[in-house]
């Protein structure tokens, strides 16, 4: 397996282009199953999760072509020949379950494994299934598989989510586009990725209203058509490079970002004595002076994103003073704390709360990425440490960051890939 070897060098400087959003592109690719016509999706990063989604779509019988250099994918889901998901591909990522809603709505049946992905906590699909059942589906679970079917077309209903789950909101929204009547999703997630999916569905002819609020209304259509869509920039990748600039005391310009998606990150960086400046070219991030500690609590959008929590823990580890981080979304998302301690971080965990006493400097060590965002946090810590750091299990990182080592090298980082 490959590993990253990072030698701390100097503050990062330069510009970086932010890739398309992983958490937006995966549901959009799944939504292409809603129509027999061709769809063109632009700004698609060649991530490992994207490659697994291609395997899933092709397993159902869709024709997929992907220009990885141009980041354009064409999907033709004309007459699908299988309603059973590829077990190996589906087991590797949670987003695989997002194919259930489109297939249930269009073909009235699907059989799919319980999803895999990073082990950051309990992420059941019960809210997805609850929505499908309210729309008229039946379900059976056995041997790790979920089978969903409906004897007739789905019918619109009011669906209240016990928690504003992003995945459940997306899956129910997609299923409702072909249901008879009106579906109302209450306590819906409001993340930018939800809005991007809704924009794509509208381009396909769906009637979706209220995305970006806690109530989404979908008036079902008999049929959807093909569409062309460009995926939004990845706000978590953007936030990662913002923290990279902050932790190294650098000056970095982010190109192709949507600043309104980054408001909670910008606010917390300001609390840490990190400046952001909107320019005609993009968003500039720089720091002058010592990092200050912060208190943060992860929350559903528009609150502070849980996907940025590990990255800010790395930042807090070298800030002057005591920081407190409370994780409210996933109960098992502090696994990276143990790896950061190997690098000299002073972190104490009590249930869902982490108390971080900033140290003058971290030291290089051999560590491993326990999940996607934890791996990115270790890279950032390594950039600010003394001595070399080796990060193993980097396949986690490549699920969500496209050519991260190349982008960091272009900013002046000394990072290379080696075979371990």
């Amino acid at each position: 397996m490959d590993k990253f070897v990072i030698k701390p060098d100097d503050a990062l400087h330069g510009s970086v282009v932010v890739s398309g959003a992983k958490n937006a592109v995966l549901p959009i690719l799944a939504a292409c199953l809603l129509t027999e016509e061709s769809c063109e999706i632009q700004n698609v990063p060649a991530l490992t999760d994207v490659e697994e989604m291609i395997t899933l779509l092709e397993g159902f019988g869709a024709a997929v072509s992907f220009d990885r250099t141009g980041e354009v994918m064409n999907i033709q889901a004309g007459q699908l020949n299988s309603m059973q998901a590829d077990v190996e591909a589906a087991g590797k990522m949670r987003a695989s379950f997002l194919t259930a809603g489109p297939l249930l709505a269009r073909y009235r049946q699907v059989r799919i494994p319980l999803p895999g992905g990073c082990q950051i906590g309990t992420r059941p699909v019960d809210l997805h299934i609850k929505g499908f059942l309210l729309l008229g589906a039946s379900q059976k679970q056995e041997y790790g598989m979920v089978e969903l079917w409906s004897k007739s077309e789905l019918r619109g209903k009011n669906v209240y989510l016990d928690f504003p789950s992003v995945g459940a909101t997306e899956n129910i929204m997609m299923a409702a586009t072909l249901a008879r009547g009106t579906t109302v999703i209450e306590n819906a997630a409001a993340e930018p990725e939800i809005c991007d999916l809704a924009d794509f569905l509208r381009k396909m002819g769906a009637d979706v209203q209220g995305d970006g609020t806690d109530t989404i209304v979908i008036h079902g259509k008999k049929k959807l058509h093909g569409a062309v869509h460009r995926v939004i920039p990845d706000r978590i990748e953007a936030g990662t490079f913002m923290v990279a600039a902050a932790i190294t005391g650098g000056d970095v310009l982010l190109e192709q970002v949507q600043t309104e998606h980054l408001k909670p990150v910008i606010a917390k960086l300001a609390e840490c004595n990190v400046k952001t400046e909107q320019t005609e070219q993009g968003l500039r991030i720089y720091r002058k002076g010592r990092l200050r500690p912060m208190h943060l609590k992860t929350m559903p959008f528009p609150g502070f994103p849980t996907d940025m929590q590990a990255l800010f823990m790395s930042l807090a580890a070298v800030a002057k003073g005591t920081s407190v981080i409370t994780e409210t979304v996933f109960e098992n998302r502090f696994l990276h704390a143990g790896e950061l301690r190997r690098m000299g971080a002073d972190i104490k965990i009590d249930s869902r709360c982490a108390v971080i006493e900033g140290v003058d400097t971290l030291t290089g060590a051999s560590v491993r990425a326990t999940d996607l965002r934890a791996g990115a946090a270790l890279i950032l810590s390594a950039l600010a440490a003394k001595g070399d750091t080796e990060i193993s299990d980097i396949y986690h990182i490549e699920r969500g960051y496209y050519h991260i080592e190349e982008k960091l090298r272009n900013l002046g980082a000394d990072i290379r890939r080696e075979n371990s």
Side-chain angles (χ1 to χ4, degrees), residues 105-378:
R106 184 175 166 201
Y107 284 93
R108 300 178 187 172
Q109 60 177 316
V110 64
R111 192 166 186 267
I112 188 168
L114 291 169
C118 290
Q119 302 305 308
I120 57 176
T122 303
R123 298 191 287 174
V125 293
D126 56 329
L127 293 181
H128 303 235
I129 294 172
K130 172 187 174 181
F132 296 151
L133 297 183
L134 286 171
L135 296 180
S138 299
Q139 68 105 11
K140 178 174 66 175
Q141 292 188 45
E142 59 181 7
Y143 307 113
M145 301 290 291
V146 178
E147 188 173 352
L148 296 155
W149 70 92
S150 176
K151 293 182 179 180
S152 60
E153 63 186 338
L154 300 177
R155 294 180 178 273
K157 285 284 186 178
N158 279 32
V159 179
Y160 180 85
L161 298 179
D162 298 329
F163 177 82
S165 162
V166 173
T169 300
E170 292 168 338
N171 232 341
I172 297 165
M173 185 164 63
M174 288 187 284
T177 61
L178 294 179
R180 175 181 291 185
T182 299
T183 299
V184 179
I185 307 174
E186 297 181 273
N187 199 29
E191 273 73 0
E193 295 79 15
I194 298 283
C195 298
D196 203 30
L197 173 61
D199 285 343
F200 176 56
L201 292 172
R202 282 190 284 265
K203 291 176 183 177
M204 297 174 74
D207 186 344
V208 181
Q209 304 167 21
D211 48 290
T213 75
D214 62 1
T215 303
I216 300 176
V217 180
I218 306 104
H219 301 288
K221 300 284 187 177
K222 287 184 176 292
K223 190 176 182 180
L224 300 182
H225 53 72
V228 177
H229 182 75
R230 183 174 179 83
V231 176
I232 59 172
D234 195 318
R235 62 192 172 105
I236 306 303
E237 181 186 345
T240 301
F241 284 104
M242 294 169 77
V243 177
I247 201 168
T248 64
D251 192 333
V252 172
L253 179 72
L254 298 181
E255 300 179 34
Q256 295 185 20
V257 294
Q258 293 190 15
T259 305
E260 62 270 23
H261 296 168
L262 296 165
K263 286 181 178 179
V265 175
I266 291 171
K268 280 299 164 187
L269 285 175
E271 191 175 321
C272 297
N273 194 32
V274 179
K275 312 297 183 185
T276 56
E277 178 183 331
Q278 187 69 53
T279 72
E280 291 183 2
Q281 292 74 33
L283 185 65
R284 180 189 173 202
I285 304 92
Y286 60 98
R287 169 171 68 88
K288 294 181 179 178
R290 183 74 188 267
L291 284 167
R292 292 196 294 258
M294 95 293 288
H295 286 210
L296 70 81
K297 178 186 289 187
T298 63
M299 297 287 287
F301 191 85
F304 189 88
T306 180
D307 280 350
M308 289 297 302
Q309 176 260 111
L311 306 161
F312 269 74
M313 186 176 287
S314 290
L315 196 64
V318 293
K320 185 177 178 60
T322 304
S323 297
V324 179
I325 296 177
T326 304
E327 173 61 57
T328 71
V329 181
F330 295 119
E331 77 280 3
N332 198 28
R333 204 157 197 180
F334 285 148
L335 293 177
H336 51 278
E339 300 302 303
L340 289 174
R341 289 192 195 105
R342 291 176 181 268
M343 303 181 69
D346 183 352
I347 303 169
K348 296 177 178 62
I349 305 295
D350 182 7
S351 184
R352 293 196 176 204
C353 186
V355 179
I356 306 102
E357 295 287 348
V359 297
D360 290 335
T361 185
L362 299 172
T363 53
S366 293
V367 293
R368 69 180 186 92
T370 55
D371 60 70
L372 167 56
R373 306 305 173 186
L378 293 174

Side-chain angles (χ1 to χ4, degrees), residues 49-70:
D49 272 14
V50 169
E51 301 293 350
E52 296 297 348
M53 183 61 81
I54 292 173
T55 300
L56 269 177
L57 297 177
E58 291 178 335
F60 294 127
V64 181
S65 64
F66 186 17
D67 175 3
R68 290 164 178 79
T69 303

Side-chain angles (χ1 to χ4, degrees), residues 117-118 368-373 393-400:
C118 290
R368 69 180 186 92
T370 55
D371 60 70
L372 167 56
R373 306 305 173 186
D393 291 352
I394 63 172
Y395 64 90
H396 284 298
I397 301 170
E398 293 174 328
R399 289 186 50 237

